[in-house]
């Protein structure tokens, strides 16, 4: 769901230095966070809309009913 560096960051919860570096990068260049936020929003809008997951769920129900 998260593409590291594109729709968010994947770091260990305990990676304090890594998180600090990402936060500092966003402080220095707001366009970094804006780009990641926009990409994450677009991804969520595509894959988590009611129409998308509803269609996927409906297909799953049909497949289970056939078996």
């Amino acid at each position: 769901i998260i593409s590291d560096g594109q729709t968010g960051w994947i770091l260990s919860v305990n990676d304090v230095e890594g998180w600090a570096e990402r936060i500092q990068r966003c402080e220095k260049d707001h366009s970094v966070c804006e780009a990641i936020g926009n990409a994450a929003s677009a991804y969520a809008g595509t894959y988590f809309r009611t129409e998308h997951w509803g269609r996927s769920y409906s297909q799953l129900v049909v497949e289970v009913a056939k078996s």
Side-chain angles (χ1 to χ4, degrees):
I1 294 176
I2 295 174
S3 180
D4 191 35
Q6 295 178 3
T7 58
W9 296 294
I10 300 173
L11 297 167
S12 167
V13 187
N14 300 319
D15 186 357
V16 177
E17 291 177 7
W19 284 112
E21 188 274 325
R22 298 317 186 282
I23 293 167
Q24 288 171 346
R25 188 184 325 162
C26 284
E27 267 186 334
K28 291 178 184 173
D29 186 357
H30 293 264
S31 67
V32 171
C33 280
E34 185 175 352
I36 286 177
N38 288 339
S41 180
Y43 182 88
T46 300
Y47 295 102
F48 295 105
R49 288 189 332 240
T50 304
E51 295 86 9
H52 184 271
W53 65 261
R55 191 175 322 114
S56 297
Y57 184 74
S58 175
Q59 290 171 347
L60 175 64
V61 169
V62 169
E63 289 177 27
V64 169
K66 287 181 183 179
S67 56

